[in-house]
Amino acid sequence: MTTNPEKRKNLLIGNWKMYKTVAEARKFAEELGMKSGVLLESCEYGICAPFTTLHVLRVMLPALVKMGAQNVYFEAEGAYTGEISAPMLAEIGTHFVLVGHSERRTVFAESDTWIQKKVHAVVEQKMVPVLCVGESLAERESGKTAAKVAQQVQNGLALLTAQQVAHSVIAYEPIWAIGSGKTASFQDAEEVASGIRGGLSEQYGSAIANCVRILYGGSVKPENIASFVQQSNIDGALVGGASLEASSFAQMAEAIGGESV
Ligand code: PGA
């Protein structure tokens, strides 16, 4: 079933994780600038990078590539040593904020309650949350994928109004596919994305559900990105390893551009 894909711009987001110094980020921005001919107004692009590099990326990335963060704390300010708030990110021109990445959920024990507060803090500052969801291998093998993902989506968006949901992005990233070189098949990814959109439609109505961008993530690279983005419920990709080189980011941008027309 096609759900109005023409209304949703394809979106490519790089997740640099804990890679790149300021000097390396500057080099990436310069190299991507030289390839900016592949970037299209009809698509959207972002790089979610370490906090220390955000300012330089804001200044140096090509105009069509938006700067994003990988985490945020939900309080606006206070005695929270080591944390960064949503107003702080908004002030420096942050556009996207990843929330609930599986590495945050597993390595840093982030709960659904924290994640929903973070998503809310991000939208209150008019930034775009990228809510990451996905099942473990054990959950997939025991047939629990759809239920797990539905629960993460519902909890993650629980504090938003329907309008705020419409402007949010959901990244479906099976945990077993992240950084492993294994991807979900595009059919499996589409099945989960379609389930996510169906759940949104039940809860918020189809007009809202059809606005939400759903990305696939997990070992996406230039060679396989198009097969995901061709699916009717998948509107782009969240990419770790293959987003670290400007040339590979540009190749993926080119691949999703071909799918948008
Ligand atoms: P990967 O990471 O592309 O390196 O698998 C994806 C992610 O963690 O967002």
Side-chain angles (χ1 to χ4, degrees), residues 15 17 101 103 173 177-180 217-220 238-242:
N15 169 16
K17 311 195 180 193
H101 189 280
E103 286 148 20
E173 299 199 305
I178 294 176
S180 63
S219 299
V220 172
L238 178 59
V239 187

Side-chain angles (χ1 to χ4, degrees), residues 43-67:
C43 294
E44 242 190 307
Y45 313 92
I47 298 283
C48 294
F51 292 128
T52 49
T53 64
L54 296 185
H55 183 70
V56 87
L57 289 176
R58 171 82 179 88
V59 175
M60 291 189 58
L61 280 173
L64 288 174
V65 186
K66 290 164 178 154
M67 174 274 270

Side-chain angles (χ1 to χ4, degrees), residues 151-163:
Q151 178 211 349
Q152 287 178 325
V153 170
Q154 210 173 8
N155 286 338
L157 302 177
L159 301 178
L160 305 192
T161 65
Q163 274 312 316

